Amino acid sequence: MLQGIQDIVNILNNALWSYVLIFLLIFVGSYFTIRTNFVQIRMFKEMFKLLTEGVTKATKSDNKNSVSSFQAFCISLASRVGTGNLAGVAIAIAIGGPGAVFWMWMIALVGGGSSFVESTLAQIYKIKDENGYYRGGPAYYMEKALGARWMGILFSVLITLCFGLVFNSVQANTISLAFNEAFGLDRLHVGIAVTALTSLVIFGGVKRIAKVAEMIVPIMATSYVLIAIVVILMNIQMVPSIFVLIVKSAFGMNQVVGAGVSMALLQGIKRGLFSNEAGMGSAPNAVATAEVTHPVKQGLIQTLGVFTDTLLICSATAFMILISGVYKNGDMTGIQLTQNALSSQVGAWGNTFIAI
């Protein structure tokens, strides 16, 4: 019985994730990119300016229940950064080869258009509840802008199941694997600890989530990128050849680990979408909690989040793995591959760093 259910889930998952969702998100991202006249590229400089404003002055509003644009950025970045950046990139390279990295970059550029639109809409159609907190997201603009309340309800149910059960399970599974690899800890005990720590944050409401994300996300992301830069500088002579390897592998001119162009393309797109979540409707829920002077400002800041996730953090993982060469043996994948890649360059403490 259970095996039969699992087979059905696998079939549906493969059909939706490998065909329907990928092509739909690419189409929508391309459409929004063209309709906004490539806003994610044209307004790139403005994104940094707005993010800086969000750090230096949280908000001009006297509403103590709102969160700043920078806090909303950190919350959404916290949802983007994680398994996809550390384990997803490793899986993409292990299965699709170095060429998968190129297609991850491409999907980030296209996804920037989707992120801009969905985040701006979240700000336009947000509401203030009876406690003075802002709330909004795809379900709200499906109802208010499209007049399709049924669609908003369906989205709410699906995203609750997806993020409440599935995505959290993937994250917890990766954390437990990483701590098992680094410290030999029992994975069940790690899961219980993660649940307890997460509960302390989320049951404090959006303000506590914002404060914790504001403290943790910049530190963790920055430290990870800095470690990657150290590894790259240690192997600076390899960087040009790594770039060449990525591009050649993406177009089938240099195949490794048996991966063809289609596999590199598929894995790059799938892991890129899973990592940056552009167009998936998750980030806008956090975006709507922010109070900004214009909806487009938050749309641009969230677009920067997509680039930060994929072009910066995913690239950091990819370069460490490709420099180390550990992906070639085929014995490891996921988070353990990333751990071994870093450890091969900086020593055994790399396992601990990745786990934390």
Side-chain angles (χ1 to χ4, degrees):
M1 178 67 177
L2 290 175
Q3 183 61 46
I5 295 175
Q6 186 175 355
D7 290 340
I8 293 174
V9 170
N10 287 337
I11 292 172
L12 291 175
N13 178 70
N14 184 62
L16 289 172
W17 189 225
S18 298
Y19 302 102
V20 178
L21 188 60
I22 286 179
F23 291 111
L24 189 60
L25 288 177
I26 291 175
F27 171 77
V28 170
S30 301
Y31 174 79
F32 286 142
T33 296
I34 295 171
R35 287 300 303 270
T36 59
N37 195 22
F38 294 84
V39 65
Q40 66 268 47
I41 298 174
R42 184 166 46 86
M43 302 289 286
F44 189 69
K45 183 179 178 180
E46 185 70 15
M47 296 174 195
F48 285 97
K49 179 182 176 182
L50 292 171
L51 184 62
T52 303
E53 288 181 4
V55 176
T56 55
K57 49 181 182 180
T59 176
K60 293 182 179 179
S61 172
D62 293 327
N63 182 12
K64 298 184 183 300
N65 291 328
S66 66
V67 302
S68 70
S69 60
F70 180 70
Q71 287 176 325
F73 171 79
C74 288
I75 294 174
S76 63
L77 192 61
S79 75
R80 300 182 204 276
V81 177
T83 295
N85 304 84
L86 277 69
V89 174
I91 293 172
I93 294 174
I95 299 176
V101 179
F102 176 85
W103 297 114
M104 288 182 70
W105 293 338
M106 293 300 102
I107 203 63
L109 293 175
V110 172
S114 301
S115 180
F116 171 77
V117 171
E118 67 178 355
S119 298
T120 302
L121 287 173
Q123 274 290 318
I124 293 173
Y125 293 102
K126 69 184 180 183
I127 65 169
K128 187 181 291 186
D129 65 19
E130 62 277 6
N131 297 316
Y133 290 101
Y134 286 116
R135 61 175 65 180
Y140 287 80
Y141 54 75
M142 285 174 184
E143 177 183 357
K144 298 175 72 174
L146 299 178
R149 179 174 172 79
W150 66 269
M151 188 184 296
I153 294 173
L154 178 61
F155 174 84
S156 298
V157 172
L158 292 177
I159 199 170
T160 299
L161 293 174
C162 181
F163 280 84
L165 300 175
V166 182
F167 273 24
N168 287 341
S169 299
V170 174
Q171 300 282 354
N173 181 62
T174 302
I175 293 170
S176 66
L177 282 170
F179 271 77
N180 179 263
E181 177 77 12
F183 307 108
L185 296 178
D186 184 87
R187 294 179 62 192
L188 176 60
H189 296 159
V190 175
I192 293 172
V194 168
T195 302
L197 291 172
T198 304
S199 299
L200 292 174
V201 178
I202 64 175
F203 290 127
V206 68
K207 289 291 287 184
R208 186 181 297 174
I209 294 172
K211 288 179 180 178
V212 173
E214 185 180 29
M215 291 186 295
I216 292 178
V217 171
I219 294 173
M220 296 301 242
T222 302
S223 60
Y224 185 70
V225 172
L226 287 176
I227 289 294
I229 291 174
V230 170
V231 172
I232 291 171
L233 291 176
M234 289 168 54
N235 302 271
I236 193 67
Q237 73 283 355
M238 296 180 63
V239 172
S241 61
I242 293 294
F243 271 110
V244 172
L245 176 64
I246 290 173
V247 175
K248 283 188 174 182
S249 299
F251 296 97
M253 293 180 282
N254 187 357
Q255 298 303 336
V256 292
V257 295
V261 178
S262 59
M263 185 59 71
L265 179 65
L266 188 62
Q267 286 299 316
I269 292 174
K270 287 172 69 173
R271 303 304 167 184
L273 288 172
F274 175 71
S275 176
N276 62 50
E277 297 185 17
M280 292 177 64
S282 56
N285 296 285
V287 171
T289 63
E291 184 160 350
V292 292
T293 55
H294 197 285
V296 168
K297 288 186 175 182
Q298 196 62 21
L300 289 171
I301 290 176
Q302 293 303 321
T303 304
L304 183 62
V306 172
F307 293 159
T308 302
D309 174 271
T310 306
L311 301 183
L312 190 60
I313 302 177
C314 283
S315 295
T317 301
F319 271 82
M320 287 192 293
I321 291 173
L322 294 175
I323 286 172
S324 70
V326 294
Y327 68 96
K328 296 177 182 178
N329 60 31
D331 296 330
M332 294 173 292
T333 187
I335 194 66
Q336 292 164 326
L337 176 58
T338 305
Q339 286 179 298
N340 278 269
L342 181 57
S343 297
S344 70
Q345 301 300 306
V346 300
W349 66 268
N351 273 345
T352 304
F353 179 81
I354 294 295
I356 293 173

